[in-house]
Amino acid sequence: MQILIAPDSFGDTLSAVAAAEAIARGWSATRPTDVVRKAPQSDGGPGFVDVLASRFGSVRTADVPGPLGASVSATWLFDDRGPDPAAYIECAQACGLHQLGGRPTPRTALAADTAGVGILVAQALDAGARRIVVGLGGSATNDGGRGLIDALGGPGEATRIFDGVELVAASDVENPLLGELGAVAVFGRQKGADPATALRLEERMTQWSRVLAGMAGRDVSDEPGAGAAGGLGAALLALGGTRVSGATVVGEATGRDADVASSQLVITGEGKFDAQTLRGKVVAALTASAAGAGVPTLVFAGQVALPPEEIAAAGIAAAYAIVDVAGSVEVAMTDAANQLSRLAEQAAADWAGDYESTRVHGV
């Protein structure tokens, strides 16, 4: 069988690349005659650059200010295959939660900024990129992209330098910038904001939104994706950018639909398979592509939190949980690669390619 292994990252435990390798290792141990192809995926968050770099382009490295100003080493991808060179930048490389050096707090929620992302964008422009794709997700920031715009010379200069450059915000987050569904209200807590800090951040974001509106000639705060990455999405929209699903960007850049169509089985997955998964994330995109090509899909996840009927309605043949193999969430997380390989071994033994109904497996 032709097997396509195309997972997203498994939270903080496994990158998409590492997850694909673990699944391939386990599957091949049980079914060594199957032809396995690895095609790790991303929705624009952490791992975005690594996923794309596994397929094309040259990786560039730069020392830039991290979310709190200390220097961090960040990578971005340069693709000069066509007439219009493209750069792929992952905001988490410069301002990710993992760059804080500890747990997020109210202080870090107020202080973290996106200046490092602005420097990466400037380097991409200097390298000749005419298309810049910024993957949004996993940020520690709530600055509305102010750090990025300041690093590019301020509102006027930042707007000028993108003349003739295509700017893309790659994110599957559709939240607006402000309000109860906005960047602070929805994502502020996970970035360390307590209620009092959240009020300060919302006030600051509201004031900054007026600057962005002046740059764009319209109010971008209510546009889908404006609230992504602590409002960095709004800044990119104000600079003339367009928002595109991160999963779609990766799929188009890597020829995912062609990979799916030439396979007999697709295996995808992520850390937790729940209702959010089916709302435009990588697993949903893979499943839709596979269904269109008449190819069955298996989902591997750390935990499966959907009932069989919802999994069936999504067109998924079977869903498997690492925790059922590992015996506990702790083991599933601390020994993730080995446990995912074990899960793949057992799923390969179980797979007959002829499922009358969708099943959730506790193997």
Side-chain angles (χ1 to χ4, degrees):
M1 289 184 67
Q2 300 285 330
I3 312 295
L4 182 68
I5 297 176
D8 196 354
S9 64
F10 278 59
D12 295 329
T13 59
L14 287 173
S15 69
V17 173
E21 291 173 349
I23 294 169
R25 184 167 60 251
W27 190 274
S28 296
T30 298
R31 296 175 62 109
T33 61
D34 285 352
V35 178
V36 171
R37 290 177 296 157
K38 293 174 286 186
Q41 302 292 308
S42 172
D43 62 2
F48 181 62
V49 166
D50 284 346
V51 164
L52 294 173
S54 70
R55 304 294 289 270
F56 62 83
S58 59
V59 175
R60 308 288 179 92
T61 302
D63 291 330
V64 301
L68 301 179
S71 180
V72 299
S73 179
T75 59
W76 58 280
L77 188 68
F78 189 59
D79 179 19
D80 60 358
R81 292 175 297 174
D84 295 317
Y88 295 85
I89 293 168
E90 177 187 320
C91 83
Q93 290 270 340
C95 67
L97 276 167
H98 66 288
Q99 304 280 17
L100 290 176
R103 294 178 62 85
T105 66
R107 182 189 69 82
T108 65
L110 285 165
D113 71 31
T114 53
V117 186
I119 292 174
L120 292 178
V121 169
Q123 290 197 359
L125 290 168
D126 288 344
R130 307 307 296 167
R131 181 173 190 259
I132 296 179
V133 183
V134 183
L136 304 180
S139 81
T141 56
N142 295 281
D143 74 339
R146 182 168 189 165
L148 172 138
I149 288 174
D150 287 347
L152 293 172
E157 178 64 10
T159 302
R160 184 193 68 77
I161 63 177
F162 283 102
D163 185 34
V165 176
E166 181 186 1
L167 181 61
V168 177
S171 174
D172 289 335
V173 170
E174 298 185 348
N175 300 71
L177 182 63
L178 306 171
E180 62 182 14
L181 297 178
V184 175
V186 175
F187 304 109
R189 184 175 179 181
Q190 71 190 48
K191 299 179 183 184
D194 58 18
T197 302
L199 285 175
R200 291 180 61 187
L201 288 170
E202 186 75 5
E203 290 173 1
R204 190 174 74 181
M205 201 82 85
T206 301
Q207 293 174 358
W208 176 242
S209 71
R210 300 187 185 106
V211 177
L212 297 178
M215 293 169 56
R218 69 185 193 281
D219 184 4
V220 299
S221 62
D222 287 334
E223 295 181 13
L232 179 55
L236 298 178
L237 293 171
L239 290 168
T242 56
R243 175 192 164 269
V244 178
S245 159
T248 298
V249 167
V250 171
E252 292 178 349
T254 59
R256 183 178 62 209
D257 287 349
D259 285 347
V260 168
S262 62
S263 303
Q264 293 171 283
L265 175 67
V266 170
I267 301 173
T268 185
E270 63 174 2
K272 187 173 184 180
F273 183 33
D274 58 16
Q276 292 296 319
T277 304
L278 302 180
R279 297 194 179 105
K281 289 193 174 183
V282 165
V283 171
L286 259 294
T287 300
S289 179
V295 179
T297 302
L298 304 182
V299 173
F300 295 169
Q303 300 178 69
V304 175
L306 284 176
E309 58 270 20
E310 290 189 32
I311 297 172
I316 295 165
Y320 295 81
I322 298 176
V323 70
D324 293 325
V325 169
S328 71
V329 173
E330 180 181 3
V331 174
M333 294 183 68
T334 58
D335 190 35
N338 289 329
Q339 298 303 321
L340 181 55
S341 288
R342 287 184 59 207
L343 180 67
E345 286 184 41
Q346 296 188 35
D350 186 51
W351 174 251
D354 183 20
Y355 278 55
E356 293 181 359
S357 62
T358 300
R359 295 187 283 171
V360 179
H361 294 258
V363 289

